[in-house]
Amino acid sequence: MKKVGVSVLGLALLMQSGAAFAYTDYNTPTDDGQFKNCVAYSTNKWTGGDEPSPVPGQSKATAFCTCLWNETPDNFRGGLAKFSESEAGAQLSNLCSKHANWE
């Protein structure tokens, strides 16, 4: 039983780390208004947004917002960066911060 628990924990950690750096699976919505607003808000509000992220060709703000845009439901209509600051968006914010290496 102990081996199963360790395996499940290892699998969960692997999945979490893989999701945080799965940038090749993300679409970059350059012409989307929500995405553009997120990048502008993030760059102005938090420091380091213009620094390079682990995603080739993307700043930390761009990688963060790309993750947010891809991870929120298709029918989401609010501000992505503002949502990430909310209690409901905290888990997604952590995931996308890791994706952008913006911690």
Side-chain angles (χ1 to χ4, degrees), residues 46-59:
W46 303 308
T47 58
D50 290 328
E51 295 174 7
S53 76
V55 182
Q58 289 188 352
S59 68

Side-chain angles (χ1 to χ4, degrees), residues 32-44:
D32 183 81
Q34 279 182 309
F35 174 75
K36 288 179 182 180
N37 289 337
C38 179
V39 172
Y41 182 90
S42 299
T43 301
N44 290 328

Side-chain angles (χ1 to χ4, degrees), residues 64-99:
F64 178 76
C65 292
T66 298
C67 175
L68 287 173
W69 190 87
N70 280 273
E71 294 292 338
T72 54
D74 289 341
N75 63 352
F76 181 80
R77 297 290 175 236
L80 294 169
K82 289 184 180 183
F83 174 69
S84 75
E85 296 175 320
S86 71
E87 189 174 321
Q91 186 175 9
L92 187 55
S93 179
N94 288 336
L95 172 78
C96 293
S97 292
K98 289 176 185 174
H99 170 75

